[in-house]
């Protein structure tokens, strides 16, 4: 018992002789220095605009002068329309005075019926006629038929009608005037198909090219987008002027107008 008890203090004192363990050193966090950064910008592409301004007017892409082709220069019996009227295809525009020709036509039709009966009788008696006599009878009959057709053609051409549905933009003659062949009686246009003719200065013209976008400001109709369709023609333009029995060239001066095609429809302006 004594030996066991003495050993206990010895073991206890032996444990206290071991060295103490070193504590782990705490290293402070190192903040890296801030490096100066270049500024970052968001880049996006846009179209650079070069604006030019000009004044212009609305024009119909489909427009036509209406005229008679009768070389006898007859008087106008009736003008059935006025400026600003909307007309349908085939509607009467103007009419020449062919009262005398209508009377002659009635008489010619009666004579033609008589000539037909005479010709039938001549063919029945062909054996009693010489070849020359029979041929002369046929020629005379054909000539009278031709006279009848000419009268019918003259009367039919005395009525001027609209070639398509549209609006009368101008009337040049009035009732009682003498209508010469190919002289304009009225002008019709399709105002549902409009374009713009704008005039620019020579310097501004150099900045414009076909296909460029345009903004057209129309009185009482607001702004409308469009595209440049055509630039001024450098050479002189040739217009055919049809006169009685001949055609002549009339050269117009160079124009400085550009043509702009509208991308949106607008209400037809009042004429």
């Amino acid at each position: 018992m004594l030996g066991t008890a003495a050993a206990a203090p010895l073991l206890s004192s032996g444990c206290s002789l071991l060295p103490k363990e070193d504590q782990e050193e705490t290293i402070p966090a190192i903040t890296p220095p801030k490096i100066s950064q270049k500024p970052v910008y968001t880049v996006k592409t846009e179209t650079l605009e070069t604006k030019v301004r000009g004044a212009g007017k609305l024009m119909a892409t489909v427009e036509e002068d209406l005229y008679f082709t009768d070389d006898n220069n007859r008087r106008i019996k009736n003008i059935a329309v006025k400026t600003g009227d909307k007309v349908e295809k085939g509607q009467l525009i103007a009419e020449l005075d062919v009262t005398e020709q209508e009377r002659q036509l009635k008489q010619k039709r009666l004579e033609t019926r008589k000539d037909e009966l005479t010709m039938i009788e001549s063919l029945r008696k062909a054996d009693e006629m010489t070849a020359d006599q029979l041929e002369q009878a046929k020629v005379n009959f054909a000539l009278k038929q031709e006279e009848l057709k000419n009268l019918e053609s003259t009367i039919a051409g005395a009525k001027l009608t609209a070639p398509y549905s549209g609006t009368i933009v101008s009337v040049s003659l009035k009732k009682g005037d003498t209508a010469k062949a190919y002289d304009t009686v009225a002008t019709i246009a399709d105002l549902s198909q409009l374009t713009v003719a704008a005039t620019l200065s020579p310097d501004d013209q150099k900045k414009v090219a076909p296909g460029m976008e345009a903004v057209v400001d129309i009185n009482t109709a607001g702004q409308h987008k469009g595209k440049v369709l055509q630039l001024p023609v450098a050479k002189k333009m040739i217009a055919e002027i049809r006169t009685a029995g001949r055609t002549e060239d009339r050269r117009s001066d160079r124009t400085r107008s550009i043509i702009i095609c509208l991308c949106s429809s607008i209400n037809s302006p009042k004429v």
Side-chain angles (χ1 to χ4, degrees):
M1 295 294 291
L2 291 173
T4 303
L10 180 60
L11 292 173
S12 176
S13 61
C15 291
S16 63
L17 295 176
L18 294 175
K20 294 183 178 180
E21 295 181 359
D22 295 335
Q23 294 183 354
E24 185 177 354
E25 182 180 2
T26 302
I27 300 175
I30 300 174
T31 303
K34 293 184 178 181
I35 301 175
S36 59
Q37 297 181 350
K38 294 182 179 180
V40 178
Y41 301 98
T42 302
V43 179
K44 58 182 180 179
T45 60
E46 289 187 356
T47 302
L48 297 177
E49 293 185 355
T50 300
K51 293 186 177 181
V52 297
R53 293 182 178 273
K57 62 180 181 178
L58 281 174
M59 298 178 61
T61 57
V62 179
E63 184 174 300
E64 184 176 343
D65 291 335
L66 306 179
Y67 48 79
F68 292 105
T69 58
D70 193 331
D71 293 333
N72 291 314
N73 301 337
R74 306 184 192 279
R75 290 189 178 277
I76 293 180
K77 178 181 178 180
N78 177 38
I79 295 288
V81 296
K82 61 182 182 298
T83 301
D85 283 355
K86 292 183 178 181
V87 295
E88 300 295 328
K89 181 179 180 179
Q91 184 173 332
L92 181 66
I93 303 298
E95 188 175 5
L96 294 176
D97 186 359
V98 287
T99 304
E100 180 60 24
Q101 286 68 33
E102 290 173 341
R103 185 191 65 78
Q104 292 177 10
L105 179 61
K106 291 179 181 179
Q107 183 177 351
K108 283 289 182 183
R109 283 174 175 170
L110 293 174
E111 292 177 357
T112 299
R113 181 55 182 162
K114 180 181 177 182
D115 293 336
E116 288 175 351
L117 296 175
T118 303
M119 188 63 194
I120 293 172
E121 186 66 21
S122 297
L123 293 174
R124 286 175 180 172
K125 298 180 180 180
D127 295 340
E128 302 175 7
M129 303 172 63
T130 64
D132 290 342
Q133 288 175 333
L134 182 59
E135 185 63 24
Q136 187 62 47
K138 291 180 180 180
V139 170
N140 291 338
F141 180 75
L143 289 174
K144 291 180 179 180
Q145 289 282 354
E146 187 66 22
E147 290 177 0
L148 178 64
K149 290 180 180 178
N150 289 339
L151 272 174
E152 290 174 341
S153 178
T154 297
I155 293 172
K159 291 185 178 181
L160 189 62
T161 58
Y164 51 81
S165 298
T167 302
I168 301 299
V169 296
S170 68
V171 177
S172 304
L173 299 179
K174 62 182 183 298
K175 180 179 178 180
D177 287 347
T178 299
K180 297 181 180 180
Y182 303 105
D183 276 0
T184 300
V185 178
T187 302
I188 186 174
D190 183 359
L191 297 184
S192 65
Q193 303 179 50
L194 297 175
T195 188
V196 175
T199 303
L200 302 178
S201 66
D203 291 337
D204 284 344
Q205 284 185 38
K206 299 176 183 178
K207 304 175 184 177
V208 179
M212 285 186 171
E213 294 185 353
V215 177
V216 180
D217 192 354
I218 303 172
N219 293 340
T220 72
Q223 291 187 344
H224 293 262
K225 292 184 178 180
K227 286 188 176 181
V228 177
L229 184 65
Q230 178 182 327
L231 292 179
V233 180
K235 62 182 180 180
K236 292 180 178 292
M237 301 176 65
I238 300 176
E240 290 188 353
I241 308 300
R242 285 173 290 183
T243 58
R246 63 191 181 93
T247 300
E248 63 181 15
D249 291 342
R250 178 175 297 175
R251 299 178 182 271
S252 61
D253 293 334
R254 170 179 161 181
T255 176
R256 291 184 177 178
S257 295
I258 65 172
I259 305 301
I260 300 173
C261 179
L262 298 178
C263 298
S264 57
S265 60
I266 65 173
N267 295 327
S268 300
K270 294 182 179 179
V271 181

